[in-house]
Amino acid sequence: MPIPIPLHSLLWNFFLKPSASPNFFLRKTFLMASSSKITPATENKVLILKSNDGDEFQLEESIAIGSVTIKNMVEDDCASNIIPLPNVDTETLIKTIEYLKKHAEISGSDEEEEEIKKTKIKDFDKEFVSVKMQKLFNIILAANFLDIKPLLDLCAQAIADKIKNKSHVAVRKIFNVECDYTKEEEDAIRKDNEWAFEGEEFDESLD
């Protein structure tokens, strides 16, 4: 499925750059994540996050403030027990909560060494982003809305990894970018650079 138009503004720091091969690769400069500490809540308060589908999910405040958006609401005393998330659907909210819980669980453990924690987080993140491209786009939109920069950065890198071996045609379709060249112009460019196309195989799939 082509990328939704609103997502283009989030991916402005990703750009397609011609390389020595006929493929285009995505260079990741996407809103580089700064580490975000989760400040413990003064009490074990529970917030209710409400998706735009109307589904509600309970989450401890100490975990929910992994979202800077929610953290600011809590600190400004603007958060009621139910926090509506108009830009996040149920499926994406479930994934986002899963990410926040797992990272809080691993990072908050006092019984494991830092290297073990890093390995566990790395393994979790790898499995977390092993989803369809469209789901990654949805999570990026949610992470941007909720201001969860590590999650935003993780999914951006996953998208970069997914498209690095795809043809420029497939990349254009995925990001819904129209080609500026006519077929004749493309054929002429290909003919002038035949050496760059030799022995290369590209993934034409859209996921």
Side-chain angles (χ1 to χ4, degrees), residues 5-28:
I5 295 299
L7 193 54
H8 285 168
S9 60
L10 295 182
L11 296 171
W12 64 273
N13 272 330
F14 278 104
F15 58 91
L16 299 175
K17 178 182 178 182
S19 67
S21 72
N23 194 15
F24 289 84
F25 62 88
L26 196 68
R27 191 171 75 181
K28 174 180 164 291

PDB file of all heavy atoms in Angstrom, residues 5-28:
ATOM      1  N   ILE A   5      -0.076  10.382   2.323  1.00  0.00           N
ATOM      2  CA  ILE A   5       0.516  11.678   2.049  1.00  0.00           C
ATOM      3  C   ILE A   5       1.009  12.396   3.310  1.00  0.00           C
ATOM      4  O   ILE A   5       2.094  12.951   3.310  1.00  0.00           O
ATOM      5  CB  ILE A   5      -0.492  12.575   1.287  1.00  0.00           C
ATOM      6  CG1 ILE A   5      -0.767  11.970  -0.093  1.00  0.00           C
ATOM      7  CG2 ILE A   5       0.049  14.000   1.139  1.00  0.00           C
ATOM      8  CD1 ILE A   5       0.445  11.853  -0.968  1.00  0.00           C
ATOM      9  N   PRO A   6       0.248  12.413   4.463  1.00  0.00           N
ATOM     10  CA  PRO A   6       0.734  13.133   5.638  1.00  0.00           C
ATOM     11  C   PRO A   6       2.084  12.645   6.136  1.00  0.00           C
ATOM     12  O   PRO A   6       2.809  13.386   6.783  1.00  0.00           O
ATOM     13  CB  PRO A   6      -0.357  12.853   6.679  1.00  0.00           C
ATOM     14  CG  PRO A   6      -1.574  12.572   5.887  1.00  0.00           C
ATOM     15  CD  PRO A   6      -1.075  11.862   4.662  1.00  0.00           C
ATOM     16  N   LEU A   7       2.451  11.437   5.831  1.00  0.00           N
ATOM     17  CA  LEU A   7       3.709  10.889   6.316  1.00  0.00           C
ATOM     18  C   LEU A   7       4.905  11.501   5.609  1.00  0.00           C
ATOM     19  O   LEU A   7       6.014  11.459   6.115  1.00  0.00           O
ATOM     20  CB  LEU A   7       3.715   9.373   6.133  1.00  0.00           C
ATOM     21  CG  LEU A   7       4.808   8.589   6.865  1.00  0.00           C
ATOM     22  CD1 LEU A   7       4.806   8.912   8.345  1.00  0.00           C
ATOM     23  CD2 LEU A   7       4.617   7.113   6.644  1.00  0.00           C
ATOM     24  N   HIS A   8       4.682  12.119   4.456  1.00  0.00           N
ATOM     25  CA  HIS A   8       5.795  12.722   3.720  1.00  0.00           C
ATOM     26  C   HIS A   8       6.501  13.760   4.579  1.00  0.00           C
ATOM     27  O   HIS A   8       7.723  13.894   4.544  1.00  0.00           O
ATOM     28  CB  HIS A   8       5.286  13.378   2.436  1.00  0.00           C
ATOM     29  CG  HIS A   8       4.943  12.384   1.381  1.00  0.00           C
ATOM     30  ND1 HIS A   8       4.248  12.724   0.249  1.00  0.00           N
ATOM     31  CD2 HIS A   8       5.176  11.061   1.282  1.00  0.00           C
ATOM     32  CE1 HIS A   8       4.084  11.653  -0.508  1.00  0.00           C
ATOM     33  NE2 HIS A   8       4.636  10.633   0.114  1.00  0.00           N
ATOM     34  N   SER A   9       5.726  14.539   5.370  1.00  0.00           N
ATOM     35  CA  SER A   9       6.342  15.585   6.183  1.00  0.00           C
ATOM     36  C   SER A   9       7.228  14.998   7.264  1.00  0.00           C
ATOM     37  O   SER A   9       8.153  15.647   7.730  1.00  0.00           O
ATOM     38  CB  SER A   9       5.254  16.453   6.823  1.00  0.00           C
ATOM     39  OG  SER A   9       4.416  15.666   7.652  1.00  0.00           O
ATOM     40  N   LEU A  10       6.957  13.751   7.681  1.00  0.00           N
ATOM     41  CA  LEU A  10       7.782  13.106   8.705  1.00  0.00           C
ATOM     42  C   LEU A  10       9.051  12.529   8.111  1.00  0.00           C
ATOM     43  O   LEU A  10      10.046  12.346   8.811  1.00  0.00           O
ATOM     44  CB  LEU A  10       7.000  11.975   9.379  1.00  0.00           C
ATOM     45  CG  LEU A  10       5.785  12.390  10.183  1.00  0.00           C
ATOM     46  CD1 LEU A  10       5.160  11.163  10.826  1.00  0.00           C
ATOM     47  CD2 LEU A  10       6.180  13.391  11.257  1.00  0.00           C
ATOM     48  N   LEU A  11       9.033  12.235   6.823  1.00  0.00           N
ATOM     49  CA  LEU A  11      10.170  11.580   6.199  1.00  0.00           C
ATOM     50  C   LEU A  11      11.028  12.544   5.403  1.00  0.00           C
ATOM     51  O   LEU A  11      11.782  12.155   4.536  1.00  0.00           O
ATOM     52  CB  LEU A  11       9.663  10.455   5.287  1.00  0.00           C
ATOM     53  CG  LEU A  11       8.942   9.326   6.028  1.00  0.00           C
ATOM     54  CD1 LEU A  11       8.302   8.378   5.039  1.00  0.00           C
ATOM     55  CD2 LEU A  11       9.893   8.583   6.928  1.00  0.00           C
ATOM     56  N   TRP A  12      10.891  13.831   5.692  1.00  0.00           N
ATOM     57  CA  TRP A  12      11.629  14.822   4.893  1.00  0.00           C
ATOM     58  C   TRP A  12      13.126  14.684   5.060  1.00  0.00           C
ATOM     59  O   TRP A  12      13.896  15.090   4.196  1.00  0.00           O
ATOM     60  CB  TRP A  12      11.190  16.239   5.270  1.00  0.00           C
ATOM     61  CG  TRP A  12      11.497  16.647   6.670  1.00  0.00           C
ATOM     62  CD1 TRP A  12      10.729  16.438   7.763  1.00  0.00           C
ATOM     63  CD2 TRP A  12      12.653  17.340   7.133  1.00  0.00           C
ATOM     64  NE1 TRP A  12      11.328  16.946   8.879  1.00  0.00           N
ATOM     65  CE2 TRP A  12      12.507  17.513   8.528  1.00  0.00           C
ATOM     66  CE3 TRP A  12      13.799  17.835   6.514  1.00  0.00           C
ATOM     67  CZ2 TRP A  12      13.450  18.152   9.304  1.00  0.00           C
ATOM     68  CZ3 TRP A  12      14.747  18.471   7.292  1.00  0.00           C
ATOM     69  CH2 TRP A  12      14.573  18.628   8.669  1.00  0.00           C
ATOM     70  N   ASN A  13      13.585  14.109   6.155  1.00  0.00           N
ATOM     71  CA  ASN A  13      15.022  13.943   6.353  1.00  0.00           C
ATOM     72  C   ASN A  13      15.565  12.667   5.718  1.00  0.00           C
ATOM     73  O   ASN A  13      16.755  12.419   5.749  1.00  0.00           O
ATOM     74  CB  ASN A  13      15.353  13.944   7.857  1.00  0.00           C
ATOM     75  CG  ASN A  13      15.583  15.346   8.367  1.00  0.00           C
ATOM     76  OD1 ASN A  13      16.026  16.197   7.621  1.00  0.00           O
ATOM     77  ND2 ASN A  13      15.257  15.583   9.622  1.00  0.00           N
ATOM     78  N   PHE A  14      14.640  11.838   5.202  1.00  0.00           N
ATOM     79  CA  PHE A  14      15.074  10.692   4.411  1.00  0.00           C
ATOM     80  C   PHE A  14      15.059  11.161   2.962  1.00  0.00           C
ATOM     81  O   PHE A  14      14.084  11.757   2.522  1.00  0.00           O
ATOM     82  CB  PHE A  14      14.083   9.536   4.529  1.00  0.00           C
ATOM     83  CG  PHE A  14      14.279   8.722   5.745  1.00  0.00           C
ATOM     84  CD1 PHE A  14      13.421   8.842   6.814  1.00  0.00           C
ATOM     85  CD2 PHE A  14      15.326   7.838   5.824  1.00  0.00           C
ATOM     86  CE1 PHE A  14      13.605   8.089   7.935  1.00  0.00           C
ATOM     87  CE2 PHE A  14      15.513   7.078   6.945  1.00  0.00           C
ATOM     88  CZ  PHE A  14      14.653   7.205   8.009  1.00  0.00           C
ATOM     89  N   PHE A  15      16.074  10.887   2.206  1.00  0.00           N
ATOM     90  CA  PHE A  15      16.020  11.283   0.809  1.00  0.00           C
ATOM     91  C   PHE A  15      16.685  10.228  -0.051  1.00  0.00           C
ATOM     92  O   PHE A  15      17.549   9.497   0.389  1.00  0.00           O
ATOM     93  CB  PHE A  15      16.686  12.651   0.575  1.00  0.00           C
ATOM     94  CG  PHE A  15      18.125  12.698   0.997  1.00  0.00           C
ATOM     95  CD1 PHE A  15      19.132  12.383   0.101  1.00  0.00           C
ATOM     96  CD2 PHE A  15      18.452  13.058   2.285  1.00  0.00           C
ATOM     97  CE1 PHE A  15      20.447  12.436   0.487  1.00  0.00           C
ATOM     98  CE2 PHE A  15      19.780  13.109   2.674  1.00  0.00           C
ATOM     99  CZ  PHE A  15      20.783  12.806   1.773  1.00  0.00           C
ATOM    100  N   LEU A  16      16.221  10.178  -1.315  1.00  0.00           N
ATOM    101  CA  LEU A  16      16.759   9.236  -2.271  1.00  0.00           C
ATOM    102  C   LEU A  16      17.951   9.875  -2.962  1.00  0.00           C
ATOM    103  O   LEU A  16      17.874  10.973  -3.490  1.00  0.00           O
ATOM    104  CB  LEU A  16      15.681   8.888  -3.305  1.00  0.00           C
ATOM    105  CG  LEU A  16      14.446   8.229  -2.690  1.00  0.00           C
ATOM    106  CD1 LEU A  16      13.396   8.025  -3.761  1.00  0.00           C
ATOM    107  CD2 LEU A  16      14.821   6.911  -2.066  1.00  0.00           C
ATOM    108  N   LYS A  17      19.033   9.172  -2.962  1.00  0.00           N
ATOM    109  CA  LYS A  17      20.267   9.718  -3.521  1.00  0.00           C
ATOM    110  C   LYS A  17      20.847   8.759  -4.543  1.00  0.00           C
ATOM    111  O   LYS A  17      21.001   7.581  -4.256  1.00  0.00           O
ATOM    112  CB  LYS A  17      21.280   9.935  -2.386  1.00  0.00           C
ATOM    113  CG  LYS A  17      22.621  10.460  -2.858  1.00  0.00           C
ATOM    114  CD  LYS A  17      23.547  10.599  -1.659  1.00  0.00           C
ATOM    115  CE  LYS A  17      24.924  11.079  -2.093  1.00  0.00           C
ATOM    116  NZ  LYS A  17      25.851  11.169  -0.959  1.00  0.00           N
ATOM    117  N   PRO A  18      21.126   9.215  -5.752  1.00  0.00           N
ATOM    118  CA  PRO A  18      21.712   8.321  -6.746  1.00  0.00           C
ATOM    119  C   PRO A  18      23.052   7.800  -6.249  1.00  0.00           C
ATOM    120  O   PRO A  18      23.831   8.533  -5.684  1.00  0.00           O
ATOM    121  CB  PRO A  18      21.906   9.217  -7.975  1.00  0.00           C
ATOM    122  CG  PRO A  18      21.097  10.431  -7.717  1.00  0.00           C
ATOM    123  CD  PRO A  18      20.992  10.584  -6.241  1.00  0.00           C
ATOM    124  N   SER A  19      23.307   6.543  -6.502  1.00  0.00           N
ATOM    125  CA  SER A  19      24.591   5.966  -6.132  1.00  0.00           C
ATOM    126  C   SER A  19      25.237   5.391  -7.378  1.00  0.00           C
ATOM    127  O   SER A  19      24.764   5.567  -8.491  1.00  0.00           O
ATOM    128  CB  SER A  19      24.387   4.873  -5.080  1.00  0.00           C
ATOM    129  OG  SER A  19      23.703   3.793  -5.652  1.00  0.00           O
ATOM    130  N   ALA A  20      26.326   4.659  -7.214  1.00  0.00           N
ATOM    131  CA  ALA A  20      27.016   4.070  -8.355  1.00  0.00           C
ATOM    132  C   ALA A  20      26.185   2.989  -9.013  1.00  0.00           C
ATOM    133  O   ALA A  20      26.431   2.616 -10.136  1.00  0.00           O
ATOM    134  CB  ALA A  20      28.359   3.497  -7.904  1.00  0.00           C
ATOM    135  N   SER A  21      25.189   2.469  -8.294  1.00  0.00           N
ATOM    136  CA  SER A  21      24.310   1.452  -8.871  1.00  0.00           C
ATOM    137  C   SER A  21      23.031   2.128  -9.313  1.00  0.00           C
ATOM    138  O   SER A  21      22.760   3.265  -8.946  1.00  0.00           O
ATOM    139  CB  SER A  21      23.999   0.368  -7.836  1.00  0.00           C
ATOM    140  OG  SER A  21      23.135   0.895  -6.867  1.00  0.00           O
ATOM    141  N   PRO A  22      22.190   1.440 -10.103  1.00  0.00           N
ATOM    142  CA  PRO A  22      20.958   2.043 -10.573  1.00  0.00           C
ATOM    143  C   PRO A  22      19.926   2.166  -9.479  1.00  0.00           C
ATOM    144  O   PRO A  22      18.915   2.811  -9.652  1.00  0.00           O
ATOM    145  CB  PRO A  22      20.476   1.055 -11.641  1.00  0.00           C
ATOM    146  CG  PRO A  22      21.052  -0.240 -11.202  1.00  0.00           C
ATOM    147  CD  PRO A  22      22.387   0.092 -10.624  1.00  0.00           C
ATOM    148  N   ASN A  23      20.182   1.514  -8.361  1.00  0.00           N
ATOM    149  CA  ASN A  23      19.216   1.598  -7.277  1.00  0.00           C
ATOM    150  C   ASN A  23      19.387   2.915  -6.535  1.00  0.00           C
ATOM    151  O   ASN A  23      20.377   3.612  -6.677  1.00  0.00           O
ATOM    152  CB  ASN A  23      19.430   0.423  -6.302  1.00  0.00           C
ATOM    153  CG  ASN A  23      18.262   0.271  -5.351  1.00  0.00           C
ATOM    154  OD1 ASN A  23      17.203   0.842  -5.582  1.00  0.00           O
ATOM    155  ND2 ASN A  23      18.466  -0.475  -4.289  1.00  0.00           N
ATOM    156  N   PHE A  24      18.422   3.268  -5.766  1.00  0.00           N
ATOM    157  CA  PHE A  24      18.498   4.417  -4.888  1.00  0.00           C
ATOM    158  C   PHE A  24      18.442   3.903  -3.468  1.00  0.00           C
ATOM    159  O   PHE A  24      17.756   2.953  -3.193  1.00  0.00           O
ATOM    160  CB  PHE A  24      17.313   5.352  -5.131  1.00  0.00           C
ATOM    161  CG  PHE A  24      17.389   6.073  -6.440  1.00  0.00           C
ATOM    162  CD1 PHE A  24      16.945   5.458  -7.606  1.00  0.00           C
ATOM    163  CD2 PHE A  24      17.889   7.355  -6.515  1.00  0.00           C
ATOM    164  CE1 PHE A  24      17.005   6.097  -8.816  1.00  0.00           C
ATOM    165  CE2 PHE A  24      17.946   8.005  -7.731  1.00  0.00           C
ATOM    166  CZ  PHE A  24      17.503   7.387  -8.882  1.00  0.00           C
ATOM    167  N   PHE A  25      19.201   4.531  -2.579  1.00  0.00           N
ATOM    168  CA  PHE A  25      19.149   4.062  -1.207  1.00  0.00           C
ATOM    169  C   PHE A  25      18.696   5.194  -0.309  1.00  0.00           C
ATOM    170  O   PHE A  25      18.826   6.361  -0.632  1.00  0.00           O
ATOM    171  CB  PHE A  25      20.498   3.505  -0.746  1.00  0.00           C
ATOM    172  CG  PHE A  25      21.608   4.510  -0.746  1.00  0.00           C
ATOM    173  CD1 PHE A  25      21.823   5.301   0.366  1.00  0.00           C
ATOM    174  CD2 PHE A  25      22.420   4.657  -1.860  1.00  0.00           C
ATOM    175  CE1 PHE A  25      22.842   6.217   0.371  1.00  0.00           C
ATOM    176  CE2 PHE A  25      23.441   5.581  -1.858  1.00  0.00           C
ATOM    177  CZ  PHE A  25      23.652   6.358  -0.727  1.00  0.00           C
ATOM    178  N   LEU A  26      18.152   4.794   0.809  1.00  0.00           N
ATOM    179  CA  LEU A  26      17.601   5.762   1.742  1.00  0.00           C
ATOM    180  C   LEU A  26      18.630   6.064   2.810  1.00  0.00           C
ATOM    181  O   LEU A  26      19.075   5.159   3.477  1.00  0.00           O
ATOM    182  CB  LEU A  26      16.353   5.159   2.384  1.00  0.00           C
ATOM    183  CG  LEU A  26      15.437   6.168   3.089  1.00  0.00           C
ATOM    184  CD1 LEU A  26      14.809   7.079   2.067  1.00  0.00           C
ATOM    185  CD2 LEU A  26      14.363   5.421   3.854  1.00  0.00           C
ATOM    186  N   ARG A  27      19.033   7.288   2.928  1.00  0.00           N
ATOM    187  CA  ARG A  27      19.990   7.630   3.965  1.00  0.00           C
ATOM    188  C   ARG A  27      19.235   8.108   5.191  1.00  0.00           C
ATOM    189  O   ARG A  27      18.380   8.972   5.100  1.00  0.00           O
ATOM    190  CB  ARG A  27      20.934   8.741   3.492  1.00  0.00           C
ATOM    191  CG  ARG A  27      22.107   8.924   4.469  1.00  0.00           C
ATOM    192  CD  ARG A  27      23.155   9.847   3.923  1.00  0.00           C
ATOM    193  NE  ARG A  27      22.749  11.243   3.982  1.00  0.00           N
ATOM    194  CZ  ARG A  27      23.488  12.244   3.541  1.00  0.00           C
ATOM    195  NH1 ARG A  27      24.639  12.011   2.978  1.00  0.00           N
ATOM    196  NH2 ARG A  27      23.055  13.481   3.621  1.00  0.00           N
ATOM    197  N   LYS A  28      19.572   7.528   6.304  1.00  0.00           N
ATOM    198  CA  LYS A  28      18.822   7.815   7.528  1.00  0.00           C
ATOM    199  C   LYS A  28      19.423   9.000   8.271  1.00  0.00           C
ATOM    200  O   LYS A  28      20.476   8.939   8.810  1.00  0.00           O
ATOM    201  CB  LYS A  28      18.830   6.580   8.421  1.00  0.00           C
ATOM    202  CG  LYS A  28      18.217   6.804   9.779  1.00  0.00           C
ATOM    203  CD  LYS A  28      18.295   5.520  10.568  1.00  0.00           C
ATOM    204  CE  LYS A  28      18.060   5.854  12.032  1.00  0.00           C
ATOM    205  NZ  LYS A  28      19.151   6.615  12.579  1.00  0.00           N
TER     206      LYS A  28
END
